[in-house]
């Protein structure tokens, strides 16, 4: 309780590590990434250090002990995560304190942009979370995925995680999940939209390991060229108050592509509760809403999933459809492949930079759907008049025609002489030479989906 | 010679049909599409009427005879298409007079936009022509396509058109060919670029019939999953003065896709000389430069084609690469899939419309590469502030995930009160929700390739 009073902005800032309490106030100024340690001020530094192995050395421990101001009281009870039977969200798992919470119930949170560039594969604890419903209580041993609609004379089948692992070859893919509403807050600056106000970090990149949906279906007798099968429905264990599960569908041809997995591992660990334990369908190149978590059902069909989330959401209307208009959901197709996207993670808008630094260091991510690799990322110091090419970090195992992972970019942009602020812009180009629109004028839609206009960050220049 | 004096703009305008000479001056005003018949003024109407079967009726002939003013002199020799051995272009075929010639040698011409909307499949005579070299003199009986690089122990093979037809199943695809430089003239309005100044009609759509490249290669022993084959080189019979043929390549995976054809028919006729007689490789969804005409060679390889046209052209640089910079061709990938595109065909810029008409009728095309279907086309009367959805005409046999044909759009845009001109804009959205950039600012490139910013047409409103 005492520690909590010494949070970010307090006169003296404390953190705890195990049972020790440390005053980091004087240290922050000199620490590389001092702003990051401030995220832990007033609480435990342990979950942050878990992300950075370089802290677990004797030298670091010695420095830390030099800042010690006391110890936690072992008799003070740890805060209890109470289960409240009247609150369906009370069994949700604990989360990393650095996540930027957009909505607590259902839990929706962005990766903190300041930590996003530290890892090509987003650590599981920092992977953005987009839940539509309470996290279901699943069990590794008893969980089953049911396969339906296999065709005449073929019975439905239920497979456990163990059976999937035993029967099919293991594959992995490093692949992005991005929410259809990512950067909605940015689109709202153009004109009001409805939905969770994601800033631009409802996107993460992980290594997913599992079995190919294709291998499972072919083994169960499905012909990859069967033209009567058009869509594959997916359902999760998460249910709404009426008992209806979350559902979505993907085109059959995509479902039969080698990159689509029934995954059981995320970054070489069992998939965490928030991300679909024990099974998630990973559909690289496609919007997150189709990558169904807590997977319980795969159904072959000649039509799209009738689920609300397939039929009445995740479709981007024309800018001509205004608030108050009746929404003709059938007039627009369900979102599958994502269009090209990029955004800055660093610096934050409003940051002040010294003119004598000469340059502004910028960094962020770029990604496009459908496996279309990023062929360049360009940044502008002046609102788009001039452009510089950024350095790109990509998955060396993926090529430009099958790039499921994101591209991280970094650049040092020269500070033009005489300016007191810079309107920095980023835009990317994909393998099909698709680019991002300059503004939301042509893509604004009432639900604020798929905002991918040029991302701007303004910094101040100090003499 | 007398007829030639009565061309467009003359006091009395004449056309010929077979041996008859007709004065169409009074007729033009009342004829639907009177502006189109003017294209024939001072010459033969025959090639135009060949495009419109509805003219070949007794009624029309009767109307025509009423306008007869004389007959051609049968003793006057027809103009001779002289073959000049010193001019490699002198054996080029005759062309339809309506084509808008951009460059005579090598021949490059756009489809006239005023005729573009009359047919979903562009008539062969009006299909845009993009030749890099003189049209080669090919012969149906002796033409061969050679297949090389089939792998260890497999000999190269040469196939005639007859052998292709006999050995493999016939398939067809309705598919667009678009020049990588289409709309370059429009990009030049933003900033100077280098290349042929295509306005926006270096794009056409035809039905192509032939055999699947996939079927040929599999029959010759190629494994579709062979990971050592990365690219398929294509060469044509057209050669430069040093004897080097036109060449290009496409990724092996694309080459093995069912839509890729070795075509011998275009709109159910033998492919005309200008378009690749007798064989053209049709690669739906990909830039025209890879759809090699007069096909003589298919070569499997682990690298891209070394051809100039693959390595040193048809790559779009960043806007940061300026005139005078050394071009690092290896820094940008060769163009394959085309990004999303749309443009008006009607009305022409500068057209005057009566306010009392209430609306302006607009029409044009939209298309995207990679088989990504057009999901909507929107038009704006006011530079992009407000949008209306246009009606779309699409190939009923193609779906949004495999749409190789174009989309023709039509809309009647209300004339806003009080305006004396309208800045009309069109933009399209494809199945991956990719859209067009608003201006050339982010896509301008020194070679003026892949211009797909919003297309504007300005009309005047007359009270």
């Amino acid at each position: 309780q005492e520690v909590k009073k010494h949070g970010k902005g307090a006169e003296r800032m404390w953190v705890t590590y195990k049972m020790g309490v440390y005053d980091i106030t004087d240290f922050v100024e000199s620490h590389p990434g001092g702003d990051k340690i401030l995220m832990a001020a007033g609480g435990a530094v342990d979950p942050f250090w878990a992300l950075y192995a370089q802290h677990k050395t004797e030298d670091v421990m010695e420095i830390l002990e030099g800042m010690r101001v006391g110890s936690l009281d072992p008799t003070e009870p740890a805060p209890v995560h109470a289960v409240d039977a009247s609150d369906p969200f009370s069994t949700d798992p604990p989360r990393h304190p650095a996540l930027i919470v957009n909505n607590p119930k259902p839990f929706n949170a962005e990766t903190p942009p300041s930590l996003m560039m530290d890892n090509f594969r987003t650590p599981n604890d920092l992977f953005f979370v987009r839940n539509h419903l309470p996290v279901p209580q699943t069990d590794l041993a008893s969980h089953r995925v049911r396969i339906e609609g296999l065709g005449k004379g073929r019975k439905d089948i239920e497979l456990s995680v163990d059976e999937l692992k035993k029967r099919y070859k293991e594959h992995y893919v490093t692949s992005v999940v991005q929410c259809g509403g990512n950067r909605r807050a940015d689109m709202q600056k153009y004109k009001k939209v409805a939905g969770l106000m994601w800033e631009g970090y409802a996107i993460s990149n992980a290594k997913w390991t599992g079995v190919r949906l294709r291998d499972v279906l072919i083994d169960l007798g499905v012909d990859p060229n069967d033209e009567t099968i058009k869509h594959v429905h997916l359902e999760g264990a998460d249910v709404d108050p009426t008992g209806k599960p979350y559902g979505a569908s993907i085109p059959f041809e995509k479902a039969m592509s080698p990159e689509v997995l029934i995954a059981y591992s995320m970054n070489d660990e069992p998939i965490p509760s928030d991300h679909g334990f024990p099974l998630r369908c990973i559909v690289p190149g496609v919007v997150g809403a189709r990558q169904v978590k807590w997977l319980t059902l795969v159904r072959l069909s000649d039509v799209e999933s009738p689920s609300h989330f397939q039929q009445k959401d995740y479709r981007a209307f024309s800018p001509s459809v205004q608030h108050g208009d009746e929404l003709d959901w059938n007039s627009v197709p369900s979102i599958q492949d994502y269009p090209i996207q990029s955004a800055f993670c660093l610096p934050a808008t409003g940051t002040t930079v010294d003119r004598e630094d000469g340059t502004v260091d910028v960094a962020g991510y770029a990604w496009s759907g459908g496996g279309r690799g990023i062929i360049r990322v360009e940044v502008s110091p002046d609102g788009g008049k001039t452009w510089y090419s950024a350095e790109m970090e990509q998955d060396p195992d993926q090529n430009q025609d099958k790039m499921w992972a994101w591209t991280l970019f970094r650049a040092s942009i020269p500070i033009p002489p005489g300016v007191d602020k810079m309107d920095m812009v980023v835009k990317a180009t994909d393998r099909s030479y698709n680019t991002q629109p300059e503004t939301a004028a042509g893509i604004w839609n009432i639900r604020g989906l798929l905002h991918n206009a040029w991302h701007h960050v303004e910094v101040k220049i100090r003499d």
Side-chain angles (χ1 to χ4, degrees), chain A residues 320-341:
Chain A
S320 64
V321 178
Q322 302 286 331
H323 282 282
D325 288 0
E326 201 176 324
L327 298 182
D328 177 8
W329 290 98
N330 290 327
S331 67
V332 279
S334 60
I335 298 167
Q336 295 286 343
D337 276 8
Y338 219 99
I340 183 164
Q341 177 71 288

Side-chain angles (χ1 to χ4, degrees), chain A residues 377-394:
Chain A
V377 177
E378 290 154 298
V379 289
S380 170
D382 52 13
K385 286 188 209 75
T386 54
W387 295 100
Y388 297 92
S389 287
E391 291 293 316
M392 300 195 293
E393 179 185 359
Q394 299 186 320

